[in-house]
């Protein structure tokens, strides 16, 4: 083979590899988009297992989206009894152990599956890479594996198994930087009914003697614009900022949500009742890290399913910028 022939061969191989890479990326994007739509739009009911930290929970889920909007009911089958019902505008939490019901405005469109569900499209500057891999069999269905690989050590990786017929997410694993599974959810059974009756979204744990607590949307307060995060990790942005009273605090709590489109980190800020109430510390449960630090007379608590280094970076850079 002459020099010209070798050059043509090298170029052809390079173009073929590039076309395969583009095809794989396009297929991964299509599979991810289909999964996002399926999780939010399909009618489904089933049982899944959720493993996080040292806990293993079994939950039942019923979900639909119809002319009344998106509705969902989660029911614990193991551990502490609890029930969560979401409709288009309201979130209802039933806690039989304390005989209490909390009703509040629904603030997120994301569903109740404990899995990585992207909240926006990923562009060319995405902090993740996506690749489609082999097949698995989950809950009696064949599903395709989608690997979500972080480009840095500021976030975790994910391995999703998506039913190619329906687009439904059947299994999700969160992976550390060594590829070890640190949290996972998996359906053990699932069905896709054509119709879900309204009575499937009525609480089954609620009874006599329960106290109902309502969080009025009118209780939302104007957040303090002076609170900032100096060192926002690459790929993250401030998605929402809110402020409202909370039962566990005498003072209102400001809540900043940072998101990279897949991982989210919550920053809670509230004035301490006294300086003696301020504290500092780090806790971990599975993939979840939480860090508390004082900021003057305020307590800052940062929580998220991201590595400890990311939580520390955010917690150490929360500050208040005084108005001029």
């Amino acid at each position: 083979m002459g020099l010209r022939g070798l050059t043509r061969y090298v170029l052809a191989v390079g173009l073929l590899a590039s076309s395969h890479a583009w095809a794989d990326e396009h297929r991964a994007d299509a599979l991810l988009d289909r999964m996002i739509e399926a999780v939010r739009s399909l009618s489904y009911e089933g049982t899944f297992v959720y493993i996080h930290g040292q806990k293993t929970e079994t939950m039942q889920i019923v979900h639909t989206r119809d002319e009344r909007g998106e509705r969902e009911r989660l029911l614990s089958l193991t551990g502490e009894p609890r029930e969560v019902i979401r409709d288009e505008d309201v979130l209802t939490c039933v806690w039989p152990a304390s005989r209490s019901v909390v009703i509040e405005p629904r603030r997120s469109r994301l569903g109740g599956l404990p899995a990585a569900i992207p909240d926006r499209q990923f562009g060319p500057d995405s902090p993740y890479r996506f690749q489609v891999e082999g097949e698995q069999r989950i809950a009696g269905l064949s599903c395709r594996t989608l690997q979500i690989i972080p480009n840095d050590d500021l976030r975790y990786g994910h391995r999703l198994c998506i039913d190619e017929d329906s687009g439904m997410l059947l299994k999700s694993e969160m992976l550390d930087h060594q590829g070890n599974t640190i949290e996972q959810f998996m359906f053990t059974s699932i069905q896709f009914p054509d119709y879900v009756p309204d009575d499937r979204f009525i609480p089954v744990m609620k009874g006599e003697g329960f106290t109902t607590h309502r969080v009025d949307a009118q209780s939302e307060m104007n957040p303090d614009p002076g609170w900032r995060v100096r060192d926002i990790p690459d790929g993250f942005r401030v998605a929402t900022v809110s402020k409202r009273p909370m039962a566990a605090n005498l003072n209102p709590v400001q809540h900043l949500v940072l998101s990279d489109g897949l991982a989210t980190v919550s920053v809670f800020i509230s004035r301490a009742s006294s300086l003696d109430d301020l504290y500092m510390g780090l806790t971990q449960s599975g993939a979840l890290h939480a860090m508390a630090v004082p900021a003057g007379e305020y307590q800052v608590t940062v929580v998220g399913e991201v590595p400890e280094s990311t939580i520390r970076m955010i917690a150490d850079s929360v500050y208040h910028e005084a108005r001029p």
Side-chain angles (χ1 to χ4, degrees), residues 1 4-22:
M1 181 183 297
R4 182 177 297 177
L6 179 61
T7 301
R8 288 176 177 173
Y9 174 75
V10 171
L11 288 174
V13 170
L15 289 172
L16 184 62
S18 297
S19 66
H20 279 311
W22 181 87

Side-chain angles (χ1 to χ4, degrees), residues 3 53 56 61 81 94 120 136 156 159 202-203 225 288 312 316:
L3 179 59
T56 299
I61 188 170
V94 182
R120 68 173 188 262
Q136 297 185 52
Y156 292 127
R159 186 162 51 229
I202 298 175
L288 184 72
R312 286 188 178 275
D316 290 341

Side-chain angles (χ1 to χ4, degrees), residues 93 95 98-102 206-214:
C93 302
W95 303 93
S98 59
R99 304 187 71 77
S100 62
V101 179
V102 178
K206 186 177 178 181
E208 294 294 331
F210 277 68
T211 302
T212 299
H213 307 274
R214 295 183 180 273

Side-chain angles (χ1 to χ4, degrees), residues 222-228 241 243 254 256 298 320-321 323:
N222 292 326
D224 182 346
W227 285 107
R228 308 288 180 85
V241 181
K243 185 177 182 180
Q254 182 143 321
L256 288 74
Y298 287 80
H320 190 271
E321 183 176 76
R323 294 181 180 179

Side-chain angles (χ1 to χ4, degrees), residues 291-310:
M291 186 172 183
V293 296
E297 299 177 349
Y298 287 80
Q299 183 70 62
V300 175
T301 305
V302 182
V303 182
E305 289 187 328
V306 291
E308 177 185 329
S309 57
T310 306

Side-chain angles (χ1 to χ4, degrees), residues 227 249-253 269-274 278 297-299:
W227 285 107
N249 290 77
L250 295 176
N251 296 308
V253 177
I269 306 166
S270 63
R271 184 188 294 273
S273 300
S274 71
L278 295 171
E297 299 177 349
Y298 287 80
Q299 183 70 62

